[in-house]
Amino acid sequence: RLVPLLVLLVLLGPALGQGLGQTRFVCTSVPLDGDVCAASALGTGSAEELKGTVLQLRETVLQQKETIMNQKETIRELTAKLGRCESQSVLEPGEAKGRKGFAKNTMGDLSRPPAAETLSQLGQTLQSLKTRLENLEQFSRMNSSSQTNNLKDILQNKIDDLEKQVLSRVNSLEEGKLSPRNESEERGKIESTLTSLHQRISDLEKGQKDNRPPDRFQLTFPLRTNYMYAKVKKSLPEMYAFSICMWIKSNASPGMGTPFSYAVPGQANELVLIEWGNNPMEILINDKVAKLPFVINDGKWHHICVTWTTRDGVWEAYQDGTQTGNGENLAPYHPIKPQGVLVLGQEQDTLGGGFDATQAFLGELAHFNVWDRKLSPGEVYGLATCSSKALAGNVIAWAESNIDIYGGATKWTFEACRQLN
């Protein structure tokens, strides 16, 4: 029969060997009626020391057991993650190939635009090209040239082919037929064709631009972005009255956005025309607001004018030559400040910037003119009906040399009087 201490040392032997390396244990047999303390004195130290060593060894064993359990849990987690990765690489090859070719987002992770979003962008691009082609067609009718007509037919055929490619891509995506390589090739073909088409249309537009009067052009903003806009090179002077008139076309809903905004240092909303969300169109002067009774987002060209004087803040609104509203107390006795930035197509939150895509203008705009006085109803009617006596703005006159465009906004030929026929 063994002493309990000897049994304990024997049972702990393997674990103690792991915890203490090359430690040598001395076992001493003690008679049943012998003194354990006396026997331990023959070994490595006093009974208290031996007891402390045993407790320390026990603690070491428990710690090692806990470490092993933690390592097992970590291994299980890693194995599960590896399994998920392997299953995705086998079952979802489209996910991996879809990520290739797209830039990193701001968080540093690779992002993949959904197929619907990509196709929507392609559709918008094609619509923009079609609109530009329609303008070229209008130009060719005005200048009946067989060469222009031939080019127009070629471009129309190219757009038709592009639409077929996009439709084919939609069907392939829905049926899951495209492999990573095939989708990359298809995307490359479409992008290459779009680039070529853009270039040819731009060359044609450049050719027609050289032959047109300086005021017969329009600006087109085909998408809501925070980077597409036009900037008037001249600033406004200090004004105690104004008239602002333009031709405008949009079917955007809800709200066509911001046809123009004028910001000065310390006041981003010095003079703004905006239709945002489900609100009616508004004119802002020094952050004061008047609601305008315009109904113009029907996809047709309309002529609008807003007049104002600082005395009593009296304002008038005209649509298609007819006064549709008026009021007073709009920023009374506040002159329009000079040395600001006048932007077409975006609402400024800071001087010359701070654009928000949700407030961007979506549509077409032309003949933006500014006077430093109130126009009479007869003068406004003459502008809206393309009278030969119509005036140009004495502060800002509509001319290509006065306008810079940015971010993909485009210019092409426009004659307001032809829109009325």
Side-chain angles (χ1 to χ4, degrees):
R1 180 176 169 184
L2 296 176
V3 178
L5 178 58
L6 180 59
V7 174
L8 177 62
L9 292 174
V10 171
L11 290 176
L12 292 179
L16 298 178
Q18 293 177 12
L20 299 177
Q22 300 299 322
T23 303
R24 183 164 61 95
F25 299 103
V26 178
C27 299
T28 305
S29 61
V30 180
L32 289 177
D33 55 351
D35 187 353
V36 174
C37 295
S40 64
L42 300 175
T44 58
S46 66
E48 288 298 325
E49 290 176 350
L50 186 57
K51 182 178 179 181
T53 301
V54 170
L55 293 175
Q56 183 179 359
L57 291 173
R58 181 184 178 189
E59 184 67 24
T60 300
V61 171
L62 293 176
Q63 289 177 354
Q64 288 182 345
K65 182 179 179 181
E66 183 179 355
T67 300
I68 291 171
M69 294 300 294
N70 290 338
Q71 289 175 344
K72 285 183 178 180
E73 183 64 27
T74 301
I75 291 171
R76 278 196 295 269
E77 290 179 4
L78 291 174
T79 302
K81 289 180 179 180
L82 181 60
R84 287 197 297 271
C85 290
E86 289 174 345
S87 64
Q88 286 180 356
S89 65
V90 173
L91 298 177
E92 300 175 12
E95 184 70 18
K97 51 96 175 172
R99 295 180 184 275
K100 188 175 182 180
F102 291 98
K104 287 187 177 181
N105 61 23
T106 54
M107 297 302 291
D109 294 329
L110 290 173
S111 61
R112 178 194 179 199
E117 181 181 344
T118 302
L119 294 171
S120 174
Q121 292 172 354
L122 278 172
Q124 290 172 335
T125 302
L126 287 172
Q127 185 57 47
S128 173
L129 291 174
K130 277 191 167 184
T131 304
R132 294 170 71 180
L133 195 59
E134 288 170 3
N135 282 272
L136 288 171
E137 187 175 9
Q138 175 187 337
F139 177 73
S140 68
R141 285 198 301 267
M142 295 161 49
N143 303 270
S144 51
S145 162
S146 59
Q147 181 181 6
T148 304
N149 286 327
N150 290 337
L151 284 172
K152 184 264 295 181
D153 292 338
I154 292 172
L155 292 170
Q156 182 64 62
N157 290 335
K158 282 185 174 290
I159 287 182
D160 291 341
D161 290 341
L162 269 175
E163 288 183 317
K164 291 177 183 177
Q165 290 183 47
V166 172
L167 182 60
S168 172
R169 189 162 182 260
V170 171
N171 293 334
S172 297
L173 283 171
E174 289 177 346
E175 297 173 7
K177 292 180 179 178
L178 286 181
S179 67
R181 181 177 178 181
N182 288 339
E183 185 182 18
S184 178
E185 290 176 357
E186 288 294 320
R187 186 171 61 247
K189 288 178 184 178
I190 292 175
E191 290 175 352
S192 176
T193 308
L194 282 174
T195 301
S196 173
L197 194 55
H198 270 297
Q199 186 60 49
R200 304 232 11 214
I201 291 180
S202 297
D203 290 343
L204 281 175
E205 289 170 345
K206 184 177 184 300
Q208 72 175 84
K209 186 187 301 182
D210 296 337
N211 299 320
R212 70 185 178 213
D215 66 334
R216 293 184 183 176
F217 74 101
Q218 71 180 47
L219 298 180
T220 296
F221 305 90
L223 302 172
R224 288 196 196 274
T225 71
N226 61 355
Y227 55 81
M228 189 179 294
Y229 67 102
K231 182 179 177 182
V232 180
K233 294 181 181 179
K234 294 175 58 179
S235 180
L236 298 179
E238 185 173 66
M239 295 191 299
Y240 295 85
F242 68 71
S243 296
I244 299 178
C245 301
M246 72 195 79
W247 285 89
I248 197 167
K249 177 183 177 183
S250 178
N251 59 1
S253 179
M256 68 175 63
T258 309
F260 77 86
S261 65
Y262 176 68
V264 297
Q267 177 53 279
N269 295 327
E270 182 68 6
L271 179 55
V272 182
L273 183 68
I274 185 171
E275 185 183 62
W276 189 28
N278 294 312
N279 300 313
M281 186 167 282
E282 299 173 336
I283 184 81
L284 281 72
I285 299 176
N286 191 33
D287 258 333
K288 307 302 185 293
V289 182
K291 298 184 184 301
L292 305 178
F294 292 146
V295 182
I296 52 180
N297 62 337
D298 56 4
K300 299 178 181 179
W301 281 102
H302 293 279
H303 187 266
I304 61 172
C305 280
V306 179
T307 70
W308 171 86
T309 61
T310 185
R311 182 174 180 177
D312 295 327
V314 175
W315 61 270
E316 297 170 345
Y318 295 81
Q319 179 176 328
D320 298 325
T322 302
Q323 186 180 132
T324 56
N326 61 77
E328 59 183 19
N329 202 35
L330 174 58
Y333 305 104
H334 171 83
I336 302 299
K337 296 179 181 178
Q339 306 304 316
V341 177
L342 181 56
V343 166
L344 305 178
Q346 294 283 355
E347 196 275 330
Q348 303 173 67
D349 286 336
T350 59
L351 188 65
F355 304 147
D356 182 346
T358 63
Q359 296 176 322
F361 175 66
L362 182 61
E364 297 162 84
L365 185 152
H367 291 277
F368 177 86
N369 287 275
V370 181
W371 294 260
D372 58 3
R373 63 180 179 85
K374 283 186 64 174
L375 296 183
S376 69
E379 289 174 319
V380 173
Y381 184 80
L383 289 168
T385 55
C386 298
S387 167
S388 59
K389 298 180 180 180
L391 303 171
N394 69 327
V395 174
I396 302 293
W398 186 247
E400 288 201 62
S401 58
N402 291 339
I403 306 289
D404 288 329
I405 56 176
Y406 301 91
T410 53
K411 297 179 183 177
W412 52 62
T413 299
F414 171 81
E415 286 193 75
C417 296
R418 290 184 177 271
Q419 306 300 322
L420 302 177
N421 297 332

